[in-house]
Amino acid sequence: MRPRLILGAGLTAAILLLAGCATGPDTGPTAITGGKGDGNPAQSSSSAPQGPVLAAPRNDLGWTDCAKAVSDRFGMTAPAGTSIECASFTSPITPDQQSAELLTIDAVRARTAATPKDAPPLVLTTGTDMPAQRALLMLTAGDGKSILARNPVVAVEMRGTDSRSTIDCMTMLDSSTIVNNGIAGYPGPLRAPAALATAQRIDRLAKSGSSAADSCNDTLTPNQVNFTSVLAASDLDALRVRWGVDRLAVLGLGEGADVALSFAAQYPDRVGRLILDTPTSFGSNTRDRASTAATGVQRALTTYASRCAQIAQCSLGGNGLATIASVVNKAAKGDIPDISDTNVLTAITTALGTAISDADRAALAAAISAADRGDTKALTTLVSTTTGLRDSQPQLLSRCNNSSGTVGLDQVPGLITEWTKQNPITGTNAALSLVRCNGWATSQPAKAPTSYTTAPLVLAGTNDPINGSDASTLNAGFTEAGTAPISVSWDGLGYSVLAHSSCAADVVGDYLGATPLSGPAERACPS
């Protein structure tokens, strides 16, 4: 029997010219230490230009308390005083056909007693990275939670992932082989008692990718290509229409920045504010995105090992990076039961990206160190949790639908050699991942906005363990569109600058206000 698909029913920025265009020496970004942080007097509301108006929903969703259900799902509870509410809305699976089948889109809202009742919501999207509500929980627990004193945050899930619908178009064996980058793990233990040759992994992964493509095309026809970041932008507009507001404030986190930028490209006059937090390389082909991720994630792991050594309870030892590499290599050789090297990297990077405190980072270090000594219980539990967050079938489907540009199977061994020299821990995994979508039709790169009525706010984290974000990849697109974004750099460690930085939350709060931000175009928040 074939698997089946079930479907449910312009801000004018008051900013300085970039340093390269200014006279005199480049003094670097302005450091922000708290408050508004720009070192300049705020404009008075009576004389300041007004940005596009943001409004609270006129016709809100039917929110119900779901704190326990969300907590049970993710094993994480929102802090006391924070309400977590769930609702859903519908969106046509094909936006230009209003009579098309409807998708159900899940949404989760976070707010506190201090959140103004008439404050416009900030819409959070994470694309295919992880459930948006999991990222929302991270925000409510992190230093960026102060944003909730100004605005509610509404997490909107990626199309195809709602709680009442399932995309189940791949066999479990194919999806497991894809998730493990060529090592089959279902049913039963991983079928890798010893190290697999690179050619074997590529062959297994290519066959499973091709089989999954055929199965999903057969099962989902004619909707197999309708689960993309570009079409997810239409879901945000469906929410806007449902709310009865003219414009949205959108926060695109990680791969969710692709959704946010697609929204700005398709509906430029419906963007009230646009925030890109640790964004992926919008418009880049699959190979370039993988290369960027390999470099960025390796950098984040190196930073983690270095900083963990400064935490009293960290157990990674004097050469933490070597300990991480040791566990990854043991898994690649089949020396860790039921865990692949790809599993290990997914677990470590997810736990590190969502860690809020030093205690969280120390707990991760303990799991890694124990696994290196042969005690894999904690790491196995972490693998089970994080694989479910990062590699569900709907996520795999959307990533393959989003892929642009092909990489020949004969090119992958060379890329493995090249990338592993540069990034010893992440290079092999990144290059193998290029084979996951073998057999899928590649899409055209998403169209970038040609202009912005709202100057984007870019939160540029330099140590993102999830995507290895490099916000500089967006600069060419901004230049072509004739915009100068406001940029906030942060050299902390984690997925989402906003979730981890109260300084960034202050900037975001001001950006969402009625008047444009004053002060420098380039800023920096302390880690």
Side-chain angles (χ1 to χ4, degrees), residues 312-385:
Q313 62 269 41
C314 180
S315 60
L316 280 181
N319 191 345
L321 198 62
T323 303
I324 296 172
S326 175
V327 175
V328 173
N329 289 334
K330 286 177 180 178
K333 294 176 182 178
D335 293 341
I336 301 180
D338 302 339
I339 295 178
S340 70
D341 52 343
T342 304
N343 287 154
V344 171
L345 277 172
T346 300
I348 292 175
T349 56
T350 305
L352 184 56
T354 56
I356 292 298
S357 65
D358 282 347
D360 294 334
R361 299 177 189 100
L364 173 60
I368 296 170
S369 300
D372 195 39
R373 297 191 304 269
D375 179 2
T376 61
K377 181 178 179 181
L379 186 60
T380 300
T381 299
L382 196 59
V383 164
S384 177
T385 300

Side-chain angles (χ1 to χ4, degrees), residues 453-464:
T453 53
T454 299
L457 173 62
V458 179
L459 306 180
T462 58
N463 295 293
D464 167 27

Side-chain angles (χ1 to χ4, degrees), residues 65 67 77-85 110-115 140 145 148-149:
D65 178 84
T77 303
T82 302
S83 68
I84 301 294
E85 301 160 294
R111 57 179 180 168
T112 69
T115 308
T140 66
K145 61 181 176 293
L148 295 176

Side-chain angles (χ1 to χ4, degrees), residues 381-432:
T381 299
L382 196 59
V383 164
S384 177
T385 300
T386 56
T387 299
L389 285 178
R390 299 278 301 280
D391 289 315
S392 69
Q393 285 206 25
Q395 289 168 316
L396 296 176
L397 170 68
S398 293
R399 287 171 195 156
C400 286
N401 278 339
N402 287 330
S403 65
S404 63
T406 59
V407 176
L409 297 182
D410 59 339
Q411 295 177 281
V412 176
L415 292 175
I416 290 176
T417 300
E418 177 186 347
W419 290 0
T420 302
K421 286 180 180 178
Q422 301 166 352
N423 304 294
I425 298 177
T426 62
T428 295
N429 185 68
L432 283 171

Side-chain angles (χ1 to χ4, degrees), residues 29 32 251-254 257 274-280 299 307 456-465 468-475 478 485-501 503-505 507-508 521-527:
I32 305 173
L251 167 63
L253 171 56
L274 182 65
I275 305 168
L276 308 174
D277 187 351
T278 55
T280 47
R299 181 175 59 245
R307 295 183 183 177
L457 173 62
V458 179
L459 306 180
T462 58
N463 295 293
D464 167 27
S469 173
D470 181 358
S472 68
T473 60
L474 302 180
N475 290 344
F478 291 143
I486 304 162
S487 177
V488 178
S489 62
W490 179 71
D491 70 349
L493 183 61
Y495 171 73
S496 176
V497 176
L498 176 59
H500 291 87
S501 171
C503 163
V507 177
V508 170
E522 295 186 39
R523 308 167 183 226
C525 281
S527 60

